[in-house]
Amino acid sequence: MTEHEGSGTRERLISAAAELIAASPGEDFSLRAVCDAVGVKMPTLYHFFGSKQGLIDAVVEHGFDVYLGQKESMGSSGDPIQDIRSGWDAHVAFGLENPGFYTLMYGKVRPGHSPEAQSRPSEILRGLTARAAEQGRLAVPSDQAAAHVLVANIGVTLRHIVLAQPDPELSAAVREGVIAAITGTARDSTDPVAATIEIVAAAPDVLGEAESALLLSWLTRLRGERRDDSGSR
């Protein structure tokens, strides 16, 4: 078997396993069924993956490739908080569309084990919260903000999968609650400047992108000066 043929066989085994998982979300799958679908013997599968868990890890990696490919096609709004909102909604939608992949990616827990591929979307989220922190828009450290968003997003998505139907009102309510918590802009917030920043950032088309960017710059500077003044008292 040449290196090219070996690579092709490995990818076909991953695809076959992915199709079986997608067809029966949450259920176990047979290694023999995977081999039969590709037309190879069991030793070939073990040669590439070493074990069933090795194959599962490869399928998880494939799931994250699909997920991140969809996220990259979305692009950026230019506003990190709005991108967190969009990323949240895309995360939930991916879970509903791919429950088999998703339950492997986030629902199968082994103590002390975290698939390496999980770090890739987490890094994207931490990048967004770091940008929000640089703009003075977080009430908690950026890593903590990213963790809050991720665990809540996973919890909502798994609930949707368990119920086997979307619940956009629940998702939006939890999303906005988390964003209010990490930005300090809850409905009863005593910081009107912070609340105004989030309103402008969430709807840049109302004033126009250039005008919104300028207003956000002024508001962020004003919020910083207010904090400095209160801290000096």
Side-chain angles (χ1 to χ4, degrees), residues 134-149:
E134 290 170 0
Q135 296 174 3
R137 297 169 64 188
L138 294 185
V140 297
S142 62
D143 282 353
Q144 183 180 338
H148 286 179
V149 173

PDB file of all heavy atoms in Angstrom, residues 134-149:
ATOM      1  N   GLU A 134      -9.894  44.441  25.610  1.00  0.00           N
ATOM      2  CA  GLU A 134      -9.069  45.562  25.165  1.00  0.00           C
ATOM      3  C   GLU A 134      -9.916  46.820  24.944  1.00  0.00           C
ATOM      4  O   GLU A 134      -9.432  47.934  25.117  1.00  0.00           O
ATOM      5  CB  GLU A 134      -8.342  45.191  23.871  1.00  0.00           C
ATOM      6  CG  GLU A 134      -7.246  44.148  24.048  1.00  0.00           C
ATOM      7  CD  GLU A 134      -6.722  43.640  22.722  1.00  0.00           C
ATOM      8  OE1 GLU A 134      -7.208  44.105  21.665  1.00  0.00           O
ATOM      9  OE2 GLU A 134      -5.830  42.769  22.731  1.00  0.00           O
ATOM     10  N   GLN A 135     -11.169  46.624  24.572  1.00  0.00           N
ATOM     11  CA  GLN A 135     -12.075  47.748  24.348  1.00  0.00           C
ATOM     12  C   GLN A 135     -12.748  48.214  25.643  1.00  0.00           C
ATOM     13  O   GLN A 135     -13.591  49.110  25.618  1.00  0.00           O
ATOM     14  CB  GLN A 135     -13.140  47.360  23.322  1.00  0.00           C
ATOM     15  CG  GLN A 135     -12.587  47.062  21.938  1.00  0.00           C
ATOM     16  CD  GLN A 135     -13.658  46.543  20.975  1.00  0.00           C
ATOM     17  OE1 GLN A 135     -14.832  46.448  21.310  1.00  0.00           O
ATOM     18  NE2 GLN A 135     -13.236  46.198  19.760  1.00  0.00           N
ATOM     19  N   GLY A 136     -12.402  47.589  26.762  1.00  0.00           N
ATOM     20  CA  GLY A 136     -12.977  47.979  28.046  1.00  0.00           C
ATOM     21  C   GLY A 136     -14.423  47.563  28.217  1.00  0.00           C
ATOM     22  O   GLY A 136     -15.174  48.212  28.948  1.00  0.00           O
ATOM     23  N   ARG A 137     -14.811  46.461  27.584  1.00  0.00           N
ATOM     24  CA  ARG A 137     -16.234  46.084  27.567  1.00  0.00           C
ATOM     25  C   ARG A 137     -16.553  44.848  28.403  1.00  0.00           C
ATOM     26  O   ARG A 137     -17.681  44.345  28.348  1.00  0.00           O
ATOM     27  CB  ARG A 137     -16.687  45.886  26.123  1.00  0.00           C
ATOM     28  CG  ARG A 137     -16.584  47.161  25.304  1.00  0.00           C
ATOM     29  CD  ARG A 137     -16.762  46.924  23.840  1.00  0.00           C
ATOM     30  NE  ARG A 137     -18.091  46.434  23.513  1.00  0.00           N
ATOM     31  CZ  ARG A 137     -18.434  45.995  22.298  1.00  0.00           C
ATOM     32  NH1 ARG A 137     -17.535  45.999  21.325  1.00  0.00           N
ATOM     33  NH2 ARG A 137     -19.653  45.576  22.062  1.00  0.00           N
ATOM     34  N   LEU A 138     -15.588  44.351  29.182  1.00  0.00           N
ATOM     35  CA  LEU A 138     -15.835  43.186  30.022  1.00  0.00           C
ATOM     36  C   LEU A 138     -15.787  43.561  31.494  1.00  0.00           C
ATOM     37  O   LEU A 138     -14.981  44.398  31.910  1.00  0.00           O
ATOM     38  CB  LEU A 138     -14.813  42.086  29.750  1.00  0.00           C
ATOM     39  CG  LEU A 138     -14.842  41.413  28.376  1.00  0.00           C
ATOM     40  CD1 LEU A 138     -13.837  40.272  28.341  1.00  0.00           C
ATOM     41  CD2 LEU A 138     -16.236  40.912  28.017  1.00  0.00           C
ATOM     42  N   ALA A 139     -16.656  42.907  32.266  1.00  0.00           N
ATOM     43  CA  ALA A 139     -16.671  43.112  33.708  1.00  0.00           C
ATOM     44  C   ALA A 139     -15.905  42.014  34.431  1.00  0.00           C
ATOM     45  O   ALA A 139     -15.763  42.052  35.653  1.00  0.00           O
ATOM     46  CB  ALA A 139     -18.113  43.149  34.210  1.00  0.00           C
ATOM     47  N   VAL A 140     -15.422  41.007  33.690  1.00  0.00           N
ATOM     48  CA  VAL A 140     -14.662  39.892  34.249  1.00  0.00           C
ATOM     49  C   VAL A 140     -13.435  39.681  33.366  1.00  0.00           C
ATOM     50  O   VAL A 140     -13.393  40.156  32.224  1.00  0.00           O
ATOM     51  CB  VAL A 140     -15.516  38.604  34.300  1.00  0.00           C
ATOM     52  CG1 VAL A 140     -16.719  38.786  35.223  1.00  0.00           C
ATOM     53  CG2 VAL A 140     -15.978  38.194  32.908  1.00  0.00           C
ATOM     54  N   PRO A 141     -12.423  38.950  33.842  1.00  0.00           N
ATOM     55  CA  PRO A 141     -11.256  38.658  33.000  1.00  0.00           C
ATOM     56  C   PRO A 141     -11.675  37.941  31.714  1.00  0.00           C
ATOM     57  O   PRO A 141     -12.647  37.173  31.702  1.00  0.00           O
ATOM     58  CB  PRO A 141     -10.384  37.762  33.886  1.00  0.00           C
ATOM     59  CG  PRO A 141     -10.774  38.137  35.279  1.00  0.00           C
ATOM     60  CD  PRO A 141     -12.239  38.443  35.216  1.00  0.00           C
ATOM     61  N   SER A 142     -10.936  38.167  30.637  1.00  0.00           N
ATOM     62  CA  SER A 142     -11.348  37.642  29.329  1.00  0.00           C
ATOM     63  C   SER A 142     -11.402  36.117  29.299  1.00  0.00           C
ATOM     64  O   SER A 142     -12.308  35.543  28.679  1.00  0.00           O
ATOM     65  CB  SER A 142     -10.409  38.159  28.232  1.00  0.00           C
ATOM     66  OG  SER A 142      -9.079  37.725  28.448  1.00  0.00           O
ATOM     67  N   ASP A 143     -10.460  35.423  29.958  1.00  0.00           N
ATOM     68  CA  ASP A 143     -10.499  33.955  29.979  1.00  0.00           C
ATOM     69  C   ASP A 143     -11.733  33.448  30.711  1.00  0.00           C
ATOM     70  O   ASP A 143     -12.357  32.454  30.318  1.00  0.00           O
ATOM     71  CB  ASP A 143      -9.238  33.391  30.633  1.00  0.00           C
ATOM     72  CG  ASP A 143      -8.035  33.401  29.703  1.00  0.00           C
ATOM     73  OD1 ASP A 143      -8.212  33.725  28.506  1.00  0.00           O
ATOM     74  OD2 ASP A 143      -6.920  33.084  30.159  1.00  0.00           O
ATOM     75  N   GLN A 144     -12.091  34.141  31.796  1.00  0.00           N
ATOM     76  CA  GLN A 144     -13.293  33.767  32.542  1.00  0.00           C
ATOM     77  C   GLN A 144     -14.533  34.009  31.700  1.00  0.00           C
ATOM     78  O   GLN A 144     -15.463  33.190  31.696  1.00  0.00           O
ATOM     79  CB  GLN A 144     -13.372  34.569  33.845  1.00  0.00           C
ATOM     80  CG  GLN A 144     -14.554  34.197  34.733  1.00  0.00           C
ATOM     81  CD  GLN A 144     -14.588  35.016  36.015  1.00  0.00           C
ATOM     82  OE1 GLN A 144     -13.578  35.554  36.447  1.00  0.00           O
ATOM     83  NE2 GLN A 144     -15.758  35.118  36.625  1.00  0.00           N
ATOM     84  N   ALA A 145     -14.568  35.114  30.971  1.00  0.00           N
ATOM     85  CA  ALA A 145     -15.702  35.412  30.090  1.00  0.00           C
ATOM     86  C   ALA A 145     -15.865  34.320  29.040  1.00  0.00           C
ATOM     87  O   ALA A 145     -16.987  33.853  28.767  1.00  0.00           O
ATOM     88  CB  ALA A 145     -15.500  36.767  29.420  1.00  0.00           C
ATOM     89  N   ALA A 146     -14.746  33.897  28.430  1.00  0.00           N
ATOM     90  CA  ALA A 146     -14.802  32.845  27.406  1.00  0.00           C
ATOM     91  C   ALA A 146     -15.333  31.551  27.999  1.00  0.00           C
ATOM     92  O   ALA A 146     -16.149  30.848  27.369  1.00  0.00           O
ATOM     93  CB  ALA A 146     -13.415  32.629  26.796  1.00  0.00           C
ATOM     94  N   ALA A 147     -14.891  31.216  29.207  1.00  0.00           N
ATOM     95  CA  ALA A 147     -15.362  29.988  29.854  1.00  0.00           C
ATOM     96  C   ALA A 147     -16.859  30.051  30.134  1.00  0.00           C
ATOM     97  O   ALA A 147     -17.584  29.065  29.926  1.00  0.00           O
ATOM     98  CB  ALA A 147     -14.589  29.757  31.156  1.00  0.00           C
ATOM     99  N   HIS A 148     -17.344  31.199  30.596  1.00  0.00           N
ATOM    100  CA  HIS A 148     -18.784  31.358  30.862  1.00  0.00           C
ATOM    101  C   HIS A 148     -19.595  31.137  29.586  1.00  0.00           C
ATOM    102  O   HIS A 148     -20.613  30.434  29.592  1.00  0.00           O
ATOM    103  CB  HIS A 148     -19.067  32.764  31.404  1.00  0.00           C
ATOM    104  CG  HIS A 148     -18.634  32.945  32.823  1.00  0.00           C
ATOM    105  ND1 HIS A 148     -18.779  34.140  33.493  1.00  0.00           N
ATOM    106  CD2 HIS A 148     -18.056  32.110  33.704  1.00  0.00           C
ATOM    107  CE1 HIS A 148     -18.316  34.018  34.729  1.00  0.00           C
ATOM    108  NE2 HIS A 148     -17.862  32.798  34.867  1.00  0.00           N
ATOM    109  N   VAL A 149     -19.152  31.760  28.499  1.00  0.00           N
ATOM    110  CA  VAL A 149     -19.871  31.632  27.233  1.00  0.00           C
ATOM    111  C   VAL A 149     -19.870  30.181  26.766  1.00  0.00           C
ATOM    112  O   VAL A 149     -20.915  29.631  26.372  1.00  0.00           O
ATOM    113  CB  VAL A 149     -19.250  32.543  26.157  1.00  0.00           C
ATOM    114  CG1 VAL A 149     -19.891  32.273  24.790  1.00  0.00           C
ATOM    115  CG2 VAL A 149     -19.409  34.011  26.523  1.00  0.00           C
TER     116      VAL A 149
END
